[in-house]
Amino acid sequence: DFTSDEMLSLIKAVDSPYFGINFDTGNFMRILDDPIKGMQKLAKYTFSTHVKDLKPNRQASVDDWYFFSTTPVGEGLVDNQKLAQLLKDAGYAGFLAVELDTLHPDYKDDEDKAVVQSVKELRRIAKAVELP
């Protein structure tokens, strides 16, 4: 994973309108890079998304990559509505694609339920910020 500054450096080095990123809302938090600040830098270079939400997993060690484990969108620490607004403001017209990886133990590995909740929240967010 790269920080937003590292991504921006790569984008500027390549200097092509065909080179951009898949903005993963949760990966920034996992490397302790603020996703909002990252989106402020990278929204205009975002071609696609992986929208996820995270919260600390007390069963994991702080240095485990899954210390911040996936929750349904809207139940974690990531302000995905603010991220979607920043995308909208930058002219993004793509999908908000849900991504779940290591599901937080509070959700008892019920991925189907987490996906349903996440899609419902993403629809609400898209409508609120008027994404297509």
Side-chain angles (χ1 to χ4, degrees):
D1 291 317
F2 293 97
T3 67
S4 56
D5 287 334
E6 291 168 331
M7 288 182 186
L8 190 57
S9 178
L10 285 169
I11 290 167
K12 289 183 176 187
V14 172
D15 192 27
S16 169
Y18 304 105
F19 185 73
I21 64 162
N22 174 61
F23 194 100
D24 188 308
T25 65
N27 286 1
F28 286 89
M29 185 176 289
R30 285 186 170 143
I31 61 171
L32 305 179
D33 192 8
D34 185 317
I36 300 298
K37 291 177 183 174
M39 185 64 83
Q40 289 168 337
K41 297 172 196 173
L42 298 168
K44 66 183 179 180
Y45 305 109
T46 299
F47 293 173
S48 62
T49 64
H50 282 172
V51 179
K52 64 178 161 239
D53 215 340
L54 306 171
K55 69 179 182 180
N57 176 350
R58 295 178 192 265
Q59 297 174 12
S61 174
V62 174
D63 60 354
D64 288 335
W65 75 270
Y66 61 92
F67 172 74
F68 287 110
S69 290
T70 306
T71 69
V73 175
E75 294 193 14
L77 301 172
V78 179
D79 187 348
N80 283 299
Q81 183 161 330
K82 176 67 175 174
L83 294 171
Q85 185 64 58
L86 290 167
L87 284 169
K88 168 74 173 170
D89 293 347
Y92 182 77
F95 294 104
L96 298 177
V98 94
E99 180 187 37
L100 297 173
D101 49 34
T102 305
L103 195 59
H104 194 280
D106 287 354
Y107 301 94
K108 300 179 179 37
D109 290 326
D110 192 347
E111 283 190 15
D112 291 340
K113 184 176 179 181
V115 168
V116 168
Q117 283 180 248
S118 294
V119 169
K120 182 178 178 182
E121 178 64 5
L122 287 179
R123 286 184 174 144
R124 186 199 65 75
I125 288 170
K127 184 176 181 180
V129 303
E130 300 177 347
L131 275 172

